[in-house]
Amino acid sequence: MASVRICVCGDEGTGKSSLITSLVKDVFVTAKIQSVLPQITMPPSIGTPENITTTVVDTSALPQERTALNKEIRKSNVILLVYADHYSYERVGLFWMPHFRSLGVNVPVVLCANKSDLSTNGNTAQVVEDEMLPLMAEFKELDSCIRTSAREHHNVNEVFFLCQKAVAHPIAPLFDSKESALKPAAVSALKRVFYLSDRDQDGFLNDKEIHDFQTKCFGKPLGEDDLTNIKQTLSKISTTSIGEKGMSEHGFLLFNKLFAEKGRHETIWIILRNFHYTDSLSLKDNFLHPKFDVPAFSSAELSPSGYRFFVDLFLLSDKDNDGGLNPSELSALFAPTPGLPPSWVDSSFPSSTVRNEANHITLQGWLAQWSMTTFTSPATTLAYLAHLGYESPDTRSPTTTALQLTKARKRRKRPARVERNVLHAYILGGPGAGKSSLLDSFLARPFSPTYHPTIKPRTAVNSVELPGGKQCYLILEELGELEPAILENRAKLDACDILVYTYDSSDPDSFSHIEALRTRYPYLDDLPALYVALKADRDKTTQRPEVQPEEYTGRLGMGKPLHVSVTWDSISELFVRIAEVAVWPATGFPKSEGEVPDRTGLYIALSVVVCAGAAFVAIWRRVGKD
């Protein structure tokens, strides 16, 4: 909040201009002042909430000035509504509040009973109960109320402070005064704050966690006496608020409710804003979605700090230490988020990654799933890093340090290694070729002879160890009935690292699908490919096309199809081979006898040798002359 604009409204003669003059001069001005003061702007001061700049606008209630009044009301952040006697008090409910509503403004209103030095209505408590509370019950826009006297300089600074506070620290989103309870959105936000502050995830804030929380929000830890007093106060109100391990979630919510009840809701806002909440109690958009552009031919991956965060999160959430996250543990882990990412739901998570015998996602599967999410939708990963409390030492980019960009991959046919740790393969083939069983085998699922046609795209992601010990994550995607639409989408093909053409070696009609695909989409030759004959445990049959698969791939200058079966233990070698071709894409392209090899590297090397030779000759001649 950079500035606050206060529109001072009320009937003529209620002392609006005197209040403003008393604020500016810090003393009551006895001389006659003009009926409507010019706009004044006050710079931030030590006592100003959030150090904001404040603009105060005086207005007139005269009918002929109604247009100017309405204009200023619409421009304001907060309205200071002043009354001074019974008539002007009655006009608050009969004219002013309905008038604000008719203008469609949705700003807080601070109710001010001015000229308290002339009042005969008794003390402040009686005035509040008899006059102000009935109005506040009827009009929810009324944020707060106060009695003032410009003549005696009583509560003059305070009334404008309330106006600033109503904008900088609004109570309406946090607390329902009628129900005397925190509102659901505030409860949800504070529960997330508690979750992120509970570092050991034991359901309680211990003393160290409370001190760390206090330091994060207010810049200094609590004193021991203050902490003891807080615990004693909460224990007296609720026996479940403080336990042996520390403050419970219930106690944390109760503590913040006490702040709201005592009018100290600015404390709650300081907490929420330190955890990146907006005035509408949603997380800031630039926090959830920071700028992170992925250049063409590059991809996004988790950085070492990103992987470390997800490893720590998994270990903290695995309460029973069985090496897997069961449904309840997953639910607790995603409590501070909107739930599972939509892409996970679409991919039938956790069936898309590695699970243990109890069907609980393992650490390997957890990291693989986030690697795939980062590759396909880095914005999703960044948003969930924000929700889950990832913290970076670089405060300017709180979540983007968990991601990194890969080197651009432009010329795939050059004999160079692709510098990526996450690889994406499309599994192509006709119905019944065995693609789904291949994905199941990739995730170490048992083989099922029952055929289930794939309708929508299905993915499987797992880690693969390349020769030499380097580990990468491989995404296998079966396209289902969307195969034509996806193959026609050049952007999706550009993101793919390798095409795996599969066919059933025991079905004579299976290889025809591959031939038809390559004929229909000739640009598929722009991607590295691998040919795989599945169901090799069955009797091999002659394919109906005149050119058999071995001869077909031979004419392309590629290796023969790999004959494998998901029932064989050696099936894992196929996944390594897929990853190898993806990492060294030049090995997966069709080659013809007349193809001119890429000699760019040779030319560069020769140029270097020639230049070095010329330099040597020049130096030798100079030395000879000397």
Side-chain angles (χ1 to χ4, degrees):
M1 178 63 63
S3 62
V4 169
R5 189 178 182 88
I6 304 172
C7 182
V8 184
C9 299
D11 288 350
E12 295 298 302
T14 54
K16 304 186 297 296
S17 301
S18 295
L19 272 177
I20 298 172
T21 305
S22 185
L23 171 71
V24 175
K25 300 293 186 180
D26 205 31
V27 67
F28 180 67
V29 178
T30 56
K32 185 177 181 180
I33 57 178
Q34 58 194 94
S35 57
V36 178
L37 296 174
Q39 171 183 309
I40 65 166
T41 299
M42 299 182 294
S45 62
I46 297 176
T48 305
E50 306 290 318
N51 289 326
I52 53 181
T53 300
T54 304
T55 300
V56 181
V57 180
D58 195 8
T59 63
S60 171
L62 296 175
Q64 61 268 29
E65 299 293 336
R66 192 62 45 86
T67 301
L69 170 68
N70 294 345
K71 181 181 178 180
E72 291 299 338
I73 290 173
R74 289 193 175 100
K75 289 168 61 178
S76 65
N77 302 116
V78 59
I79 297 171
L80 176 57
L81 181 54
V82 184
Y83 74 91
D85 53 27
H86 181 72
Y87 174 77
S88 56
Y89 167 76
E90 291 292 334
R91 291 255 299 165
V92 169
L94 294 176
F95 170 74
W96 285 107
M97 296 306 297
H99 182 65
F100 298 152
R101 289 181 174 180
S102 71
L103 295 176
V105 295
N106 183 28
V107 297
V109 179
V110 174
L111 185 61
C112 171
N114 194 26
K115 300 187 179 181
S116 60
D117 55 299
L118 303 178
S119 174
T120 58
N121 293 341
N123 57 32
T124 298
Q126 184 178 346
V127 172
V128 170
E129 183 175 352
D130 295 344
E131 297 180 1
M132 296 177 170
L133 290 183
L135 285 172
M136 295 186 73
E138 182 179 356
F139 300 101
K140 294 300 180 183
E141 305 94 315
L142 290 172
D143 180 85
S144 55
C145 55
I146 189 171
R147 290 186 83 194
T148 63
S149 171
R151 181 180 294 277
E152 296 180 350
H153 202 71
H154 174 63
N155 282 344
V156 173
N157 291 350
E158 287 77 2
V159 68
F160 288 97
F161 180 81
L162 284 179
C163 292
Q164 295 169 328
K165 187 176 174 183
V167 178
H169 305 127
I171 186 65
L174 301 178
F175 191 68
D176 187 333
S177 56
K178 185 176 181 181
E179 299 293 332
S180 188
L182 293 170
K183 291 187 175 180
V187 171
S188 178
L190 289 170
K191 281 185 175 181
R192 175 178 172 273
V193 171
F194 179 88
Y195 174 94
L196 299 181
S197 303
D198 182 16
R199 293 293 187 177
D200 56 10
Q201 289 297 294
D202 65 349
F204 293 87
L205 296 183
N206 58 42
D207 289 359
K208 183 181 184 309
E209 290 168 339
I210 291 175
H211 286 307
D212 291 342
F213 165 79
Q214 178 76 11
T215 302
K216 175 182 175 67
C217 295
F218 303 99
K220 59 181 180 180
L222 276 175
E224 291 301 323
D225 292 342
D226 293 331
L227 182 56
T228 300
N229 291 335
I230 290 171
K231 291 181 178 180
Q232 290 176 348
T233 300
L234 294 176
S235 298
K236 291 177 182 178
I237 300 173
S238 173
T239 56
T240 60
S241 59
I242 302 295
E244 292 183 2
K245 295 182 177 180
M247 183 186 297
S248 67
E249 181 184 80
H250 170 69
F252 183 73
L253 294 175
L254 178 59
F255 189 44
N256 282 279
K257 177 174 175 283
L258 293 177
F259 281 128
E261 288 176 336
K262 294 179 178 179
R264 292 181 56 193
H265 41 280
E266 68 275 10
T267 303
I268 304 176
W269 277 117
I270 292 173
I271 293 170
L272 294 175
R273 285 170 182 158
N274 269 283
F275 283 85
H276 306 284
Y277 280 94
T278 65
D279 289 352
S280 60
L281 295 181
S282 61
L283 288 172
K284 293 178 181 177
D285 189 66
N286 61 357
F287 175 63
L288 286 178
H289 308 290
K291 182 177 176 59
F292 187 82
D293 296 326
V294 181
F297 307 107
S298 295
S299 63
E301 297 178 355
L302 288 172
S303 67
S305 63
Y307 277 115
R308 185 164 55 250
F309 172 77
F310 282 117
V311 168
D312 293 342
L313 191 61
F314 181 96
L315 297 176
L316 272 175
S317 302
D318 184 17
K319 300 298 183 183
D320 52 13
N321 295 316
D322 66 344
L325 297 181
N326 59 45
S328 63
E329 290 169 339
L330 268 177
S331 178
L333 188 156
F334 281 100
T337 75
L340 289 177
S343 60
W344 291 27
V345 176
D346 292 341
S347 64
S348 301
F349 174 84
S351 64
S352 57
T353 191
V354 185
R355 291 175 288 175
N356 60 19
E357 295 178 353
N359 280 331
H360 301 158
I361 183 172
T362 63
L363 176 59
Q364 178 183 351
W366 173 251
L367 296 178
Q369 185 73 23
W370 279 113
S371 297
M372 178 172 67
T373 304
T374 306
F375 178 85
T376 57
S377 177
T380 298
T381 300
L382 288 171
Y384 275 79
L385 285 166
H387 281 295
L388 292 167
Y390 173 83
E391 293 184 351
S392 167
D394 185 356
T395 56
R396 295 170 298 177
S397 52
T399 56
T400 53
T401 55
L403 272 60
Q404 62 187 16
L405 293 172
T406 63
K407 186 178 179 181
R409 178 200 60 193
K410 294 182 180 180
R411 302 181 63 183
R412 303 197 201 206
K413 294 186 179 182
R414 293 185 60 180
R417 180 189 179 94
V418 171
E419 299 298 330
R420 293 189 174 190
N421 296 315
V422 182
L423 306 165
H424 188 198
Y426 281 153
I427 310 299
L428 307 179
K435 302 184 295 297
S436 296
S437 295
L438 184 66
L439 265 64
D440 288 337
S441 176
F442 185 47
L443 300 176
R445 308 278 166 74
F447 171 70
S448 173
T450 307
Y451 174 64
H452 298 285
T454 301
I455 308 300
K456 65 178 185 177
R458 179 193 169 197
T459 57
V461 60
N462 199 351
S463 59
V464 174
E465 186 174 320
L466 296 170
K470 180 178 174 60
Q471 187 182 69
C472 67
Y473 290 97
L474 179 61
I475 304 168
L476 302 184
E477 184 170 0
E478 180 186 4
L479 306 184
E481 294 184 353
L482 291 182
E483 182 179 89
I486 292 175
L487 295 183
E488 290 171 1
N489 188 327
R490 300 301 291 268
K492 285 187 174 293
L493 287 176
D494 286 341
C496 175
D497 291 288
I498 179 175
L499 300 176
V500 181
Y501 294 108
T502 64
Y503 68 97
D504 178 356
S505 60
S506 66
D507 179 359
D509 297 314
S510 190
F511 193 76
S512 300
H513 184 82
I514 295 176
E515 284 190 322
L517 279 181
R518 295 191 70 249
T519 301
R520 184 177 179 183
Y521 309 107
Y523 48 79
L524 294 182
D525 284 354
D526 294 336
L527 277 78
L530 192 66
Y531 290 80
V532 180
L534 295 172
K535 304 184 183 180
D537 56 318
R538 301 182 182 181
D539 292 335
K540 180 182 178 182
T541 187
T542 301
Q543 297 293 312
R544 293 199 190 280
E546 182 178 346
V547 179
Q548 294 300 296
E550 287 78 6
E551 184 181 354
Y552 183 89
T553 56
R555 290 181 179 181
L556 294 174
M558 300 183 67
K560 296 179 179 180
L562 302 176
H563 287 258
V564 298
S565 170
V566 297
T567 62
W568 295 349
D569 292 338
S570 59
I571 187 66
S572 60
E573 297 176 8
L574 170 64
F575 306 126
V576 174
R577 180 59 184 154
I578 293 173
E580 279 186 299
V581 176
V583 170
W584 297 95
T587 62
F589 280 102
K591 296 178 178 63
S592 62
E593 292 182 2
E595 182 175 340
V596 179
D598 184 354
R599 293 193 174 92
T600 304
L602 177 61
Y603 295 151
I604 294 174
L606 287 174
S607 299
V608 172
V609 171
V610 170
C611 292
F616 174 77
V617 170
I619 294 172
W620 180 77
R621 287 178 175 176
R622 179 174 295 178
V623 171
K625 289 180 180 180
D626 293 342

